[in-house]
C-alpha cells in the first residue's frame, strides 16, 4: 500500500467501504477468455499467483477480452469471497500507467 492506495487506484477508504457493504475488489490480469461448447463465456482471472476460472456473463466477458487483447490490468468488484462470474458486479479495464 503506497500513499493510501490499496489496489492501484482504489483508495483504502474505498476498499473499506466496499468490504463494509459485503463486496470486494481485486486487480489482476486475464490469462484466457473464450467460449465453451454451450455458448457461455469462460474467463481465467489472475491476481498475483492466485487465479480463478469461471463462466462470466457476456457484459463482463467483453471487458475481459479487451484486457487480454491489449495486455491491460482489470479491476473486478464482486460479492462474496471469489471473483467468479456469477458474483461479478463491475469489471473495468484499467489504463496503462505512464
Amino acid at each position: 500500500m503506497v500513499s493510501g492506495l490499496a489496489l492501484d487506484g482504489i483508495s483504502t477508504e474505498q476498499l473499506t467501504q466496499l468490504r463494509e457493504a459485503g463486496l470486494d475488489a481485486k486487480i489482476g490480469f486475464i490469462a484466457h477468455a473464450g467460449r465453451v461448447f454451450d455458448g457461455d463465456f469462460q474467463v481465467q482471472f489472475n491476481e498475483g499467483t492466485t487465479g480463478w476460472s469461471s463462466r462470466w456473463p457476456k457484459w463482463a466477458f467483453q471487458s475481459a477480452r479487451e484486457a487480454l487483447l491489449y495486455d491491460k490490468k482489470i479491476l473486478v468488484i464482486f460479492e462474496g469471497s471469489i471473483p467468479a462470474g456469477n458474483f461479478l458486479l463491475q469489471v473495468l479495464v484499467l489504463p496503462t500507467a505512464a
Side-chain angles (χ1 to χ4, degrees), residues 42-55:
Q42 184 77 23
V43 175
Q44 169 81 27
F45 170 75
N46 292 344
E47 178 198 38
T49 58
T50 304
W52 300 267
S53 184
S54 64
R55 293 180 183 209

Side-chain angles (χ1 to χ4, degrees), residues 30-83:
I30 301 300
H32 71 252
R35 294 191 88 158
V36 294
F37 70 97
D38 63 2
D40 281 351
F41 302 96
Q42 184 77 23
V43 175
Q44 169 81 27
F45 170 75
N46 292 344
E47 178 198 38
T49 58
T50 304
W52 300 267
S53 184
S54 64
R55 293 180 183 209
W56 284 27
K58 185 176 181 179
W59 66 264
F61 170 80
Q62 292 169 334
S63 293
R65 183 176 180 273
E66 181 181 330
L68 178 64
L69 290 174
Y70 297 102
D71 195 28
K72 302 264 188 182
K73 284 185 177 182
I74 196 164
L75 164 67
V76 294
I77 297 175
F78 55 95
E79 290 182 292
S81 59
I82 60 170

